[in-house]
Amino acid sequence: MNKTMTVLVVEDDMPIRNLISTTLKTHEYKFLTAKDGNDAIMQASSHNPDVVLLDLGLPDIDGIEVIKNIRSWSNMPIIVISARSEDTDKIEALDCGADDYLTKPFSVEELLARLRVTQRRLSYQNQAAVSESMFTNGKLKVDYAAGCAYLDEEEMHLTPTEYKLLCVLSQNVGKVLTHKFIAEKIWGSAWETDIGSLRVFMTTLRKKIEKLPDSPQYIQTHIGVGYRMMKVEC
Ligand code: CA
């Protein structure tokens, strides 16, 4: 995997910014740094980094505003860094278009793992442009045009809701999706009852696609936040 990815680090807290920068340097990533939101927007637009690591609590403008601004002109991956007390902020950030999150305090290993997930997603997206009607991930295939899914070359028997759920996840592979986002895509609403139903459909879908539903390979649970389909290596 090539590491020529450029990371824009947006963090006003100097020790954390230095820790991240040192980690990136050690692991041969290229990086830029920004100390506040306006600087982040400027650097993102002038340098077009491959990924943005964005602290939500910034001294000038809120991190959410930075996401909204970047999303108005770019799909570059944004990984939000949030404090544990900012759970609702994290969910809002994902709903505004962030791709993933890290919760403070995080380890160097967690940071590197998130960057690898993003890299896999970027390289997948490049290939995906070739075939937009067919999604392939490990042993899973979704034929969007035909409206069916396959596991291990065998057609899966999915209910219409399970299929929709699978499509929402596969079309956003690598991205953490909030319960609200998924429920709205499936039912057009996100009431508490929809989110309750979502859990039920997720359980039945998992039984069909995961070999070991208790240690899922394809769909990760983010407790209190939502779900993510992982890019599985073949
Ligand atoms: Ca901060």
Side-chain angles (χ1 to χ4, degrees):
M1 195 172 284
N2 84 71
K3 283 184 182 167
T4 52
M5 196 161 86
T6 302
V7 184
L8 171 59
V9 182
V10 187
E11 172 63 81
D12 58 311
D13 190 335
M14 198 173 69
I16 300 179
R17 196 171 61 236
N18 288 345
L19 169 76
I20 297 174
S21 306
T22 308
T23 304
L24 295 176
K25 199 185 281 174
T26 311
H27 292 84
E28 296 170 11
Y29 285 99
K30 286 189 229 154
F31 66 94
L32 306 153
T33 60
K35 298 181 185 70
D36 60 46
N38 286 311
D39 190 18
I41 292 168
M42 208 186 66
Q43 298 224 40
S45 60
S46 51
H47 298 284
N48 203 26
D50 298 297
V51 56
V52 182
L53 275 177
L54 174 69
D55 180 32
L56 285 179
L58 296 169
D60 56 347
I61 53 171
D62 197 90
I64 299 285
E65 296 308 315
V66 177
I67 299 171
K68 287 182 182 162
N69 182 296
I70 293 178
R71 277 294 167 264
S72 67
W73 53 270
S74 168
N75 278 325
M76 64 178 67
I78 301 173
I79 303 173
V80 155
I81 302 173
S82 78
R84 198 164 281 281
S85 58
E86 294 169 342
D87 237 17
T88 48
D89 283 11
K90 190 157 70 189
I91 291 172
E92 191 187 354
L94 292 166
D95 278 333
C96 285
D99 298 81
D100 201 349
Y101 61 90
L102 272 167
T103 304
K104 284 181 187 172
F106 54 84
S107 66
V108 162
E109 286 71 28
E110 280 179 279
L111 168 65
L112 294 170
R114 293 301 199 287
L115 291 174
R116 281 194 299 269
V117 167
T118 304
Q119 265 177 317
R120 273 207 290 274
R121 178 162 162 247
L122 286 173
S123 65
Y124 176 75
Q125 274 176 343
N126 293 338
Q127 305 160 17
V130 182
S131 166
E132 276 179 1
S133 62
M134 182 69 90
F135 170 83
T136 309
N137 186 15
K139 291 179 170 168
L140 178 69
K141 276 197 181 114
V142 184
D143 184 341
Y144 298 125
C148 49
Y150 301 85
L151 190 68
D152 259 337
E153 307 297 328
E154 247 181 77
E155 189 173 350
M156 297 170 70
H157 299 288
L158 301 175
T159 66
T161 305
E162 287 167 354
Y163 177 72
K164 265 194 204 172
L165 177 55
L166 181 62
C167 289
V168 175
L169 291 162
S170 63
Q171 283 159 353
N172 294 280
V173 65
K175 240 183 118 148
V176 178
L177 305 177
T178 64
H179 296 127
K180 181 171 160 249
F181 177 91
I182 301 171
E184 274 174 355
K185 288 277 177 200
I186 297 176
W187 296 290
S189 57
W191 302 103
E192 274 302 306
T193 50
D194 295 323
I195 291 167
S197 309
L198 175 59
R199 290 207 177 86
V200 175
F201 285 111
M202 187 58 81
T203 305
T204 59
L205 176 63
R206 271 189 169 144
K207 280 191 187 142
K208 294 179 184 179
I209 69 170
E210 303 284 4
K211 270 207 180 86
L212 304 164
D214 292 332
S215 49
Q217 185 188 14
Y218 291 99
I219 305 167
Q220 270 185 349
T221 298
H222 291 253
I223 294 164
V225 177
Y227 301 97
R228 158 166 50 198
M229 179 174 283
M230 297 295 287
K231 182 76 191 86
V232 176
E233 299 289 318
C234 295

